[in-house]
Amino acid sequence: MTKQPTTDQPPKSSMCGSCISLLLAIAIGALLALSPKGVSPPAVPASSYTKLIPPWPILLTLGPLSDMLRMAADALTPPDVLVRMKATAYWQSEVQYALVKNGIPDAMDA
């Protein structure tokens, strides 16, 4: 009977998770370190839609994170479903355009 050699290395999945955590911590630290000091934003009216936009460090962090999650979702989606989604994307945009043009979302909100 042969013994398999034992290794004291952690599993690859935990190494990958710690690498991602480290990269995320470095990115957040860089954003905070590079943020301008003593700069006040311009006055924005209360009714402005720009109030809905998060502060730029959060926006710069969430943009690439959103891209990474989208690529992960595309990688996990079965190919036939992905092709169907991409093939009907034009039709979906046309339906959305028609709904907005006719004011349907505003009528449903009221």
Side-chain angles (χ1 to χ4, degrees), residues 88-102:
T88 60
Y90 175 75
W91 297 335
Q92 291 175 4
S93 67
E94 287 294 312
V95 169
Q96 290 172 355
Y97 171 75
L99 290 172
V100 170
K101 184 177 178 184
N102 293 316

Side-chain angles (χ1 to χ4, degrees), residues 16-93:
C16 182
S18 62
C19 289
I20 291 174
S21 299
L22 178 65
L23 289 175
L24 187 60
I26 289 172
I28 290 173
L31 284 174
L32 293 176
L34 297 175
S35 64
K37 307 285 188 271
V39 176
S40 61
V44 179
S47 62
S48 175
Y49 286 111
T50 57
K51 290 264 188 195
L52 301 174
I53 299 173
W56 76 269
I58 295 173
L59 190 65
L60 290 177
T61 304
L62 293 181
L65 182 62
S66 172
D67 293 341
M68 284 179 20
L69 292 175
R70 172 52 47 203
M71 287 190 298
D74 286 345
L76 295 173
T77 304
D80 58 327
V81 174
L82 197 58
V83 167
R84 191 177 307 123
M85 285 171 39
K86 292 186 186 232
T88 60
Y90 175 75
W91 297 335
Q92 291 175 4
S93 67

